[in-house]
mmCIF file of all heavy atoms in Angstrom:
data_model
loop_
_atom_site.group_PDB
_atom_site.id
_atom_site.type_symbol
_atom_site.label_atom_id
_atom_site.label_comp_id
_atom_site.label_asym_id
_atom_site.label_seq_id
_atom_site.Cartn_x
_atom_site.Cartn_y
_atom_site.Cartn_z
ATOM 1 N N ILE A 1390 -6.265 -1.972 -3.456
ATOM 2 C CA ILE A 1390 -5.743 -2.502 -2.188
ATOM 3 C C ILE A 1390 -6.637 -2.071 -1.035
ATOM 4 O O ILE A 1390 -6.899 -2.835 -0.144
ATOM 5 C CB ILE A 1390 -4.264 -1.990 -1.961
ATOM 6 C CG1 ILE A 1390 -3.359 -2.657 -2.990
ATOM 7 C CG2 ILE A 1390 -3.817 -2.297 -0.567
ATOM 8 C CD1 ILE A 1390 -1.966 -2.083 -3.033
ATOM 9 N N ARG A 1391 -7.157 -0.847 -1.127
ATOM 10 C CA ARG A 1391 -8.068 -0.404 -0.084
ATOM 11 C C ARG A 1391 -9.396 -1.168 -0.136
ATOM 12 O O ARG A 1391 -9.978 -1.484 0.899
ATOM 13 C CB ARG A 1391 -8.367 1.089 -0.236
ATOM 14 C CG ARG A 1391 -7.176 1.942 0.225
ATOM 15 C CD ARG A 1391 -7.481 3.389 0.135
ATOM 16 N NE ARG A 1391 -6.398 4.154 0.745
ATOM 17 C CZ ARG A 1391 -6.091 5.399 0.432
ATOM 18 N NH1 ARG A 1391 -6.734 6.040 -0.522
ATOM 19 N NH2 ARG A 1391 -5.086 6.016 1.041
ATOM 20 N N LEU A 1392 -9.813 -1.562 -1.322
ATOM 21 C CA LEU A 1392 -11.009 -2.419 -1.437
ATOM 22 C C LEU A 1392 -10.778 -3.772 -0.733
ATOM 23 O O LEU A 1392 -11.652 -4.297 -0.069
ATOM 24 C CB LEU A 1392 -11.357 -2.679 -2.935
ATOM 25 C CG LEU A 1392 -12.168 -1.638 -3.683
ATOM 26 C CD1 LEU A 1392 -12.213 -1.966 -5.147
ATOM 27 C CD2 LEU A 1392 -13.524 -1.557 -3.125
ATOM 28 N N ILE A 1393 -9.635 -4.330 -0.974
ATOM 29 C CA ILE A 1393 -9.299 -5.642 -0.350
ATOM 30 C C ILE A 1393 -9.295 -5.506 1.135
ATOM 31 O O ILE A 1393 -9.901 -6.292 1.868
ATOM 32 C CB ILE A 1393 -7.928 -6.150 -0.837
ATOM 33 C CG1 ILE A 1393 -7.963 -6.456 -2.317
ATOM 34 C CG2 ILE A 1393 -7.474 -7.305 -0.031
ATOM 35 C CD1 ILE A 1393 -6.589 -6.726 -2.947
ATOM 36 N N GLN A 1394 -8.667 -4.460 1.674
ATOM 37 C CA GLN A 1394 -8.584 -4.269 3.093
ATOM 38 C C GLN A 1394 -9.985 -4.041 3.696
ATOM 39 O O GLN A 1394 -10.292 -4.551 4.777
ATOM 40 C CB GLN A 1394 -7.693 -3.051 3.459
ATOM 41 C CG GLN A 1394 -6.226 -3.345 3.307
ATOM 42 C CD GLN A 1394 -5.362 -2.192 3.695
ATOM 43 O OE1 GLN A 1394 -5.724 -1.037 3.534
ATOM 44 N NE2 GLN A 1394 -4.217 -2.513 4.274
ATOM 45 N N SER A 1395 -10.798 -3.255 2.993
ATOM 46 C CA SER A 1395 -12.134 -3.020 3.525
ATOM 47 C C SER A 1395 -12.985 -4.294 3.559
ATOM 48 O O SER A 1395 -13.771 -4.498 4.452
ATOM 49 C CB SER A 1395 -12.868 -1.886 2.776
ATOM 50 O OG SER A 1395 -13.146 -2.329 1.409
ATOM 51 N N GLU A 1396 -12.839 -5.151 2.561
ATOM 52 C CA GLU A 1396 -13.542 -6.409 2.518
ATOM 53 C C GLU A 1396 -13.101 -7.276 3.640
ATOM 54 O O GLU A 1396 -13.944 -7.919 4.306
ATOM 55 C CB GLU A 1396 -13.350 -7.127 1.148
ATOM 56 C CG GLU A 1396 -14.159 -8.349 0.999
ATOM 57 C CD GLU A 1396 -15.648 -8.144 0.944
ATOM 58 O OE1 GLU A 1396 -16.153 -6.978 0.777
ATOM 59 O OE2 GLU A 1396 -16.374 -9.152 1.091
ATOM 60 N N PHE A 1397 -11.748 -7.364 3.925
ATOM 61 C CA PHE A 1397 -11.328 -8.190 5.046
ATOM 62 C C PHE A 1397 -11.907 -7.615 6.356
ATOM 63 O O PHE A 1397 -12.358 -8.376 7.201
ATOM 64 C CB PHE A 1397 -9.784 -8.124 5.096
ATOM 65 C CG PHE A 1397 -9.117 -9.001 4.083
ATOM 66 C CD1 PHE A 1397 -7.695 -8.970 4.031
ATOM 67 C CD2 PHE A 1397 -9.762 -9.844 3.255
ATOM 68 C CE1 PHE A 1397 -7.039 -9.732 3.090
ATOM 69 C CE2 PHE A 1397 -9.128 -10.626 2.338
ATOM 70 C CZ PHE A 1397 -7.756 -10.555 2.248
ATOM 71 N N LYS A 1398 -11.835 -6.321 6.557
ATOM 72 C CA LYS A 1398 -12.344 -5.657 7.750
ATOM 73 C C LYS A 1398 -13.845 -5.931 7.898
ATOM 74 O O LYS A 1398 -14.312 -6.245 8.999
ATOM 75 C CB LYS A 1398 -12.015 -4.191 7.770
ATOM 76 C CG LYS A 1398 -12.362 -3.474 9.047
ATOM 77 C CD LYS A 1398 -11.617 -4.047 10.213
ATOM 78 C CE LYS A 1398 -10.263 -3.444 10.349
ATOM 79 N NZ LYS A 1398 -9.475 -3.963 11.506
ATOM 80 N N ARG A 1399 -14.623 -5.862 6.839
ATOM 81 C CA ARG A 1399 -16.054 -6.041 6.861
ATOM 82 C C ARG A 1399 -16.352 -7.451 7.346
ATOM 83 O O ARG A 1399 -17.229 -7.646 8.192
ATOM 84 C CB ARG A 1399 -16.654 -5.841 5.489
ATOM 85 C CG ARG A 1399 -18.207 -5.924 5.505
ATOM 86 C CD ARG A 1399 -18.740 -5.968 4.107
ATOM 87 N NE ARG A 1399 -18.418 -7.111 3.335
ATOM 88 C CZ ARG A 1399 -18.938 -8.325 3.470
ATOM 89 N NH1 ARG A 1399 -19.863 -8.524 4.335
ATOM 90 N NH2 ARG A 1399 -18.518 -9.295 2.701
ATOM 91 N N ILE A 1400 -15.628 -8.416 6.804
ATOM 92 C CA ILE A 1400 -15.889 -9.828 7.218
ATOM 93 C C ILE A 1400 -15.465 -10.078 8.680
ATOM 94 O O ILE A 1400 -16.190 -10.741 9.410
ATOM 95 C CB ILE A 1400 -15.176 -10.783 6.246
ATOM 96 C CG1 ILE A 1400 -15.913 -10.703 4.890
ATOM 97 C CG2 ILE A 1400 -15.148 -12.201 6.799
ATOM 98 C CD1 ILE A 1400 -15.253 -11.464 3.783
ATOM 99 N N GLU A 1401 -14.356 -9.472 9.096
ATOM 100 C CA GLU A 1401 -13.948 -9.610 10.460
ATOM 101 C C GLU A 1401 -14.962 -9.064 11.414
ATOM 102 O O GLU A 1401 -15.284 -9.640 12.445
ATOM 103 C CB GLU A 1401 -12.572 -8.898 10.700
ATOM 104 C CG GLU A 1401 -11.376 -9.666 10.123
ATOM 105 C CD GLU A 1401 -10.101 -8.965 10.386
ATOM 106 O OE1 GLU A 1401 -10.114 -7.725 10.594
ATOM 107 O OE2 GLU A 1401 -9.060 -9.597 10.287
ATOM 108 N N VAL A 1402 -15.519 -7.919 11.099
ATOM 109 C CA VAL A 1402 -16.552 -7.289 11.925
ATOM 110 C C VAL A 1402 -17.872 -8.033 11.890
ATOM 111 O O VAL A 1402 -18.457 -8.333 12.963
ATOM 112 C CB VAL A 1402 -16.757 -5.795 11.552
ATOM 113 C CG1 VAL A 1402 -17.938 -5.209 12.249
ATOM 114 C CG2 VAL A 1402 -15.497 -4.996 11.856
ATOM 115 N N ASP A 1403 -18.336 -8.394 10.716
ATOM 116 C CA ASP A 1403 -19.612 -9.043 10.526
ATOM 117 C C ASP A 1403 -19.629 -10.433 11.204
ATOM 118 O O ASP A 1403 -20.617 -10.798 11.850
ATOM 119 C CB ASP A 1403 -19.987 -9.219 9.065
ATOM 120 C CG ASP A 1403 -20.408 -7.914 8.387
ATOM 121 O OD1 ASP A 1403 -20.531 -6.893 9.135
ATOM 122 O OD2 ASP A 1403 -20.553 -7.941 7.176
ATOM 123 N N GLU A 1404 -18.541 -11.188 11.008
ATOM 124 C CA GLU A 1404 -18.504 -12.577 11.499
ATOM 125 C C GLU A 1404 -17.766 -12.721 12.825
ATOM 126 O O GLU A 1404 -17.730 -13.813 13.413
ATOM 127 C CB GLU A 1404 -17.895 -13.474 10.471
ATOM 128 C CG GLU A 1404 -18.738 -13.502 9.147
ATOM 129 C CD GLU A 1404 -18.105 -14.350 8.118
ATOM 130 O OE1 GLU A 1404 -17.213 -15.174 8.386
ATOM 131 O OE2 GLU A 1404 -18.518 -14.235 6.950
ATOM 132 N N ARG A 1405 -17.209 -11.596 13.335
ATOM 133 C CA ARG A 1405 -16.497 -11.582 14.570
ATOM 134 C C ARG A 1405 -15.365 -12.645 14.590
ATOM 135 O O ARG A 1405 -15.278 -13.459 15.551
ATOM 136 C CB ARG A 1405 -17.421 -11.758 15.797
ATOM 137 C CG ARG A 1405 -18.322 -10.609 15.965
ATOM 138 C CD ARG A 1405 -19.199 -10.778 17.211
ATOM 139 N NE ARG A 1405 -19.971 -9.570 17.490
ATOM 140 C CZ ARG A 1405 -21.205 -9.423 17.004
ATOM 141 N NH1 ARG A 1405 -21.750 -10.283 16.199
ATOM 142 N NH2 ARG A 1405 -21.829 -8.296 17.317
ATOM 143 N N ILE A 1406 -14.589 -12.688 13.539
ATOM 144 C CA ILE A 1406 -13.480 -13.622 13.429
ATOM 145 C C ILE A 1406 -12.239 -12.949 13.018
ATOM 146 O O ILE A 1406 -12.273 -11.774 12.579
ATOM 147 C CB ILE A 1406 -13.804 -14.712 12.360
ATOM 148 C CG1 ILE A 1406 -13.981 -14.106 10.973
ATOM 149 C CG2 ILE A 1406 -14.978 -15.608 12.796
ATOM 150 C CD1 ILE A 1406 -14.013 -15.088 9.842
ATOM 151 N N GLU A 1407 -11.107 -13.616 13.172
ATOM 152 C CA GLU A 1407 -9.834 -13.124 12.664
ATOM 153 C C GLU A 1407 -9.634 -13.903 11.361
ATOM 154 O O GLU A 1407 -9.720 -15.157 11.361
ATOM 155 C CB GLU A 1407 -8.730 -13.449 13.685
ATOM 156 C CG GLU A 1407 -7.379 -12.999 13.246
ATOM 157 C CD GLU A 1407 -6.980 -11.693 13.960
ATOM 158 O OE1 GLU A 1407 -7.662 -11.258 14.906
ATOM 159 O OE2 GLU A 1407 -5.975 -11.126 13.517
ATOM 160 N N ILE A 1408 -9.287 -13.261 10.299
ATOM 161 C CA ILE A 1408 -9.124 -13.903 8.978
ATOM 162 C C ILE A 1408 -7.806 -14.608 8.950
ATOM 163 O O ILE A 1408 -6.764 -13.968 9.113
ATOM 164 C CB ILE A 1408 -9.344 -12.890 7.855
ATOM 165 C CG1 ILE A 1408 -10.762 -12.393 7.808
ATOM 166 C CG2 ILE A 1408 -8.948 -13.533 6.527
ATOM 167 C CD1 ILE A 1408 -11.000 -11.348 6.755
#
Side-chain angles (χ1 to χ4, degrees):
I1390 292 171
R1391 286 183 173 153
L1392 277 172
I1393 294 169
Q1394 286 184 324
S1395 69
E1396 185 66 14
F1397 285 176
K1398 187 59 86 180
R1399 183 191 66 78
I1400 289 172
E1401 285 179 341
V1402 169
D1403 287 353
E1404 298 178 16
R1405 293 183 174 90
I1406 60 167
E1407 183 101 9
I1408 294 178

